[in-house]
Structures are given as structure tokens and as C-alpha cells.
Amino acid sequence: MAEFELIEILKRRCKPSRADVRLGIGDDAAVVAVAAEHELVICTDTLVAGVHFPLDTDPADIGWKALAVNLSDLAAMGAQPVWALLALTLPSADADFITRFADGFADLAAQYQIDLIGGDTTSGPLTITVTAHGLVPTGQALRRDAARVGDVVFVTGTLGDAAAGLRCLQSNDADRPPIDVACAMLISRLNRPQPRVAAGLALRGLANACIDVSDGLLADLGHIAEASGAGIEIGEDCLPGSTALFERFDADACHALQMTGGDDYELAFTIAESNIEAMQAAMTRAACRVSRIGRVIAEAGVHVLDRNGERKQVHGKGWEHFA
Amino acid sequence: MAEFELIEILKRRCKPSRADVRLGIGDDAAVVAVAAEHELVICTDTLVAGVHFPLDTDPADIGWKALAVNLSDLAAMGAQPVWALLALTLPSADADFITRFADGFADLAAQYQIDLIGGDTTSGPLTITVTAHGLVPTGQALRRDAARVGDVVFVTGTLGDAAAGLRCLQSNDADRPPIDVACAMLISRLNRPQPRVAAGLALRGLANACIDVSDGLLADLGHIAEASGAGIEIGEDCLPGSTALFERFDADACHALQMTGGDDYELAFTIAESNIEAMQAAMTRAACRVSRIGRVIAEAGVHVLDRNGERKQVHGKGWEHFA
């Protein structure tokens, strides 16, 4: 199959829907119009086979996740996603692979009415880079560096499921179908993360600092703390977890997965006490669970308190490339 | 070396300079402002080691080329480049590699005052994806689909040098230094392509259709012809070539390299007779050589005329992934 046929499959599956796209796939570059009084938010993330997903992952899940991890970054900025570009490096022009990949990618794109406006297909080891674009009203982007001492720290959804799902896949259990219900749920959190777009939009004008939990909670809170010139203290027993997680893993394993697991794509944010009520109402409207997990403090670093309020040493802070 | 150290090297070397960048490297995403009455032009291109450049290419050349191929796409749209994102997948966190890579990337970025606003570094087989952004006044982007029957076809610079440079590298000669002057010039065209940004800007409002010559002249003119519902006829002896090319290769080899070589990153464009004089004056101001090579015709396809004006069969049309 030739390159243009691959692109045709992607184009057929990802139908354009946006009026602000003046010129989509098929020229040297795409041409788009940016809404007045808005700023553009741009991110890019790469998934590498065998590094970011197991080699035998369903191509539809790869397509979904490649877009999802980028939408999660936009969500963390409070941006409304609008356009994506896809740079796809494939070992061979496999029509089955690309069709399934396009299915997963298009399913998520359609959910947020995102147009695929361009990209590149090349031959080489399986690597997927998506560049995603979003819009925020001028000056309203949520940043990492805006946490203030005294802010309360919240997180959306539940933590640790994706890393637990990877453990399920890696354990022998996973090879013996049927995988139990808890495991299936955890694996689906790994393969089909739901970017917190609605939550990110709801946090505009309410939260101070925000980040998505991709490297692991402690690592990502560390980014907020460092960028804001402050510290963060969280309670180990305040961390939200799913029933599936608690069912499959003991308390210590759960805590470790929740704090350092990564790949959760929940939002962690800091907010002034005075905005909490409005935020909770907005999150209810966005059908998004939030949990209060800690506080911004003056002392640098991220500190974990055990159930007795004592500081606790945690080993390993999360995902680190080239470690 | 950790991921953040890699990013530090890139940040140090690519200093921000643009006022329209509200938030650069270091958050979940970048935030930028788009000038009023302008549209945004966006493209992404991937280079894979061993596919798009020889494995022993100087990392500085790889950094330059990864950005250059994207700027060439922007040039073909008549866009002014403004921001780039860099997704870099590396087998190991090699400080030497990244420093040299950043040198090449930053040299070209500085030439056009482009800000590196974000990216991703991951571990895996060496693959580089750059996403580049440019601006055009609303409605003025140059497209592939705007060629009209009767238009004259021009190309900037010279054709075939990059492919000839690759031949020099692959031939035994190249292993025996010193490489002769002609070869060195051809190899530098391969490794350090100069995107035709000034030429692209000069063509706005004058050219009808435009494309950059990346796959090979015949293949790329074929894209214009197909998108425009027309055909193109070019004269084999009208194709511009460098002295180095003519010195190193015989006439037949030169023609083949010029027509199907690819990697030239010149602009091919079609223009109404009535605009040629103004275009030539603008190109002189942009210090860019242009050559008249053919004409847009009603009959579909790209046709090559020999020196007697007879149509000629050409085998192989240019670069095709997954061929």
C-alpha cells in the first residue's frame, strides 16, 4: 500500500467538521483561523511502541491514546481542543493497522469535534507524534506556576488505575482469559484514558495552578511546586482510588500506584479556599469527581503525610525517561 | 542524563525572542497569540534515522534539516514562520548528540526568528518530528490547487543537488577524504537545505499554485496538476542545475536527479504570464534565482519534453514511502 492510501484511510475516518479550518489535509500545510480574543494553546506528545504502550496493544487503543495524551495537556491548560496533526512512523504500510488506528483516533476526535488537519506518514519503527491545538480566552490559560501558599490541592477522578492496569497486563493472570472485571477496568484506563477536557474548561477562572497527572502524582505536583516557588503537602489516605484498584492490590501497593503510577491523565490543581464551592458546583455539572488531597505550603518539595499526619518517605517519584 | 537536562540544553540554545509567545517551554502546553487579520499555517514532518538521513549524519545537520523541511512547507504556503515544537525520540540521553543537534536547529531558528515553544523527549529509535507554525494575511496562503491552464511553471534555485549529494556519500569516493569541492557542495545541499522562505513570501499575490520540491520535481508537479484538475508540461533542458551537479554527473544522470531526486526544498509554482515581470523583480529583491521550466496544460499528468520538443518517458517519479 502506498503512502497516499494510508492518508486516504485516515481522511475517510476523520471527517472535517470545523468552519475555522480553511485548508485541511492535502497541501503542504494546513490553514486555520483563530477566534478573536483567544489565545492558541499548543502541545505535542510522542508515543513509542514498547515504551509508552506494550507491543501487542490494539492499534485502535494506540490511536485513541496518542490523541488522548495531547488532549490531556490541553485540558490542563483549560483549553478547548480544536485541531490535531498526526505524524505516524510505521514499519510497514499495514492497512489493517492503519484502519484500526484511525478508528481509535477518530472516535476520540469526534467526541470533541477536533479536526485532523495534517500530518506526515513515514516508514520506520512505530512512533506516533500528535500535535494538538486548543483555544482559551486571552489570558485565561491555567498554568503550573500560579499556585499560592494556602491553596488547597485537588485531583479529578481516581489515581493509579492505569499503572495497575499495566501490572495486570504484565502479570501471568492477564494471559489467561477471561481477565476479571477489575483487571479489565484497570487495563481500559491504561489503554483508553479519558482526557479531562470538560473539567479543565470548568476550572478556568477558579483554579490557580493546574497540571495533568502523566508522570505520576508526586512528580507532577513537584512540577507545580517548583514552577510556583512553593511546596505541596498531601495526605496519603486522601488519594482517590477506584474500587477495582482496591480490590486487586493491597493498601501499600495502592498507595504506591496512586502516588507514582503515572499515565492517569487526571488533573491536579490548586485553588483558593474561597473558590472551592464554585469549583465543586462546576465539577458536578461537568460530571467530574474531585478529591481534596492536600495543601500548598511555603516549604519546597512535595511531602506525603501518613494517616497519623506524620511525614513519610516515598521512594521513586514517577516516570523518568532515560533513567 | 535525565530528560529535563536534555530540555535544558535545548532551551539554553534556543532562546525565546518573540512577544507573541505568552508561555513557552515548561508547562503542559505553550500559549501564543495570533496576529489579527492573519491565518495560521501549520505543518508537521518527521525525519527517521536511516530513512531520511544516513545514520552517520552530523547531529547538527539533523537538527537543521528537521526544522528546514518544515519551514520549506511553510514557504510553499507563502507563510512567515513563527513557532516550532520539537518531538525528539532518542536511543539514549546523549549530551553530545543533543548539544550538536540543538546547535543546528537553533542556527536555522535564529535565522528566521522562530521560537521553539514546546516539545517532547522520549526514549526510542532516533526519530524527529517538528511541527512548525507560520502566519499569512487572511486568504493569501498559496495552495496546490490553484494552477490555471496557461500558467507558466517556474522553479527556484537548482534541482537535483541533494540527491546527487546522497550519491556522493554512497559512492566509495566519499570515504576517501578530501571530498572534492563539487561533492562537498552537493552534500551540503543534502544536509543543510535552505528553505525558500523569502521566495514564498515574495510569491504571495503573484503566484497561483505553489509546492515545495521534496518528493522530486515530477511527483510534486503531479500534486499541483492533480489538485488543480490540470496537467503540466516541462522541458527537460529548462531544468536549472548547479555547476557542481553538471561537473559530477553526465547529462542523463543530471536529468534523472533533477526530475526525480527529491529533497531539494526549492519551490515550484505556476503563475499567470501577466504577473511574471513583477514576480521576477520580487525574486531579484529576495536574491532568489528562478527558472521558467514549463506550462500548465489542460491534459492531465506531468509530461516531459526533450530538446526537440518531443514527449519523453521518464521512469520513477520520486520518493515514495512504503514503495
Side-chain angles (χ1 to χ4, degrees), chain B residues 26-314:
Chain B
D27 212 303
D28 290 294
V31 181
V32 293
V34 174
E37 288 164 42
H38 282 72
E39 286 170 338
L40 189 65
V41 180
I42 317 174
C43 61
T44 192
D45 259 320
T46 300
L47 301 188
V48 180
V51 178
H52 298 90
F53 54 85
L55 292 172
D56 59 355
T57 303
D58 181 340
D61 290 339
I62 302 172
W64 174 285
K65 190 161 181 173
L67 182 57
V69 299
N70 280 280
L71 298 192
S72 179
D73 281 324
L74 295 182
M77 306 298 291
Q80 177 74 52
V82 286
W83 319 301
L85 292 93
L86 170 63
L88 187 54
T89 302
L90 286 172
S92 67
D94 177 338
D96 276 356
F97 179 95
I98 199 80
T99 302
R100 290 196 57 74
F101 179 94
D103 281 346
F105 188 96
D107 283 349
L108 184 58
Q111 193 174 317
Y112 293 104
Q113 294 173 288
I114 295 164
D115 271 16
L116 178 65
I117 58 170
D120 191 20
T121 53
T122 51
S123 59
L126 181 58
T127 314
I128 308 108
T129 299
V130 171
T131 305
H133 296 76
L135 296 174
V136 283
T138 298
Q140 288 191 32
L142 300 170
R143 307 164 55 128
R144 294 181 179 184
D145 61 3
R148 289 180 213 154
V149 174
D151 277 0
V152 179
V153 180
F154 280 84
V155 68
T156 62
T158 58
L159 297 171
D161 293 339
L166 185 60
R167 290 261 196 101
C168 288
L169 281 178
Q170 288 166 339
S171 74
N172 286 335
D173 296 8
D175 292 336
R176 279 181 266 142
I179 290 173
D180 66 46
V181 175
C183 240
M185 178 275 179
L186 296 171
I187 292 168
S188 113
R189 288 274 312 212
L190 174 71
N191 288 334
R192 293 259 172 168
Q194 267 294 350
R196 291 291 188 183
V197 173
L201 295 175
L203 290 174
R204 287 202 307 229
L206 293 173
N208 285 330
C210 187
I211 196 167
D212 74 322
V213 182
S214 53
D215 294 341
L217 181 68
L218 297 190
D220 291 312
L221 290 180
H223 296 319
I224 287 186
E226 201 186 334
S228 302
I232 287 174
E233 201 168 58
I234 61 169
E236 176 180 60
D237 276 353
C238 305
L239 302 180
S242 67
T243 312
L245 180 75
F246 294 141
E247 211 173 272
R248 289 283 303 190
F249 296 89
D250 66 28
D252 282 351
C254 284
H255 283 150
L257 290 164
Q258 290 170 300
M259 288 193 277
T260 66
D263 248 8
D264 287 317
Y265 304 104
E266 298 293 349
L267 299 184
F269 57 95
T270 82
I271 186 167
E273 285 274 10
S274 54
N275 282 341
I276 290 178
E277 205 175 321
M279 178 275 290
Q280 281 173 326
M283 287 304 199
T284 302
R285 286 192 298 275
C288 180
R289 166 180 175 177
V290 285
S291 306
R292 180 177 180 138
I293 61 168
R295 197 172 268 285
V296 179
I297 58 175
E299 183 191 349
V302 178
H303 309 279
V304 179
L305 303 183
D306 66 18
R307 66 181 55 193
N308 303 314
E310 304 287 333
R311 284 207 182 165
K312 182 177 165 168
Q313 218 40 41
V314 178

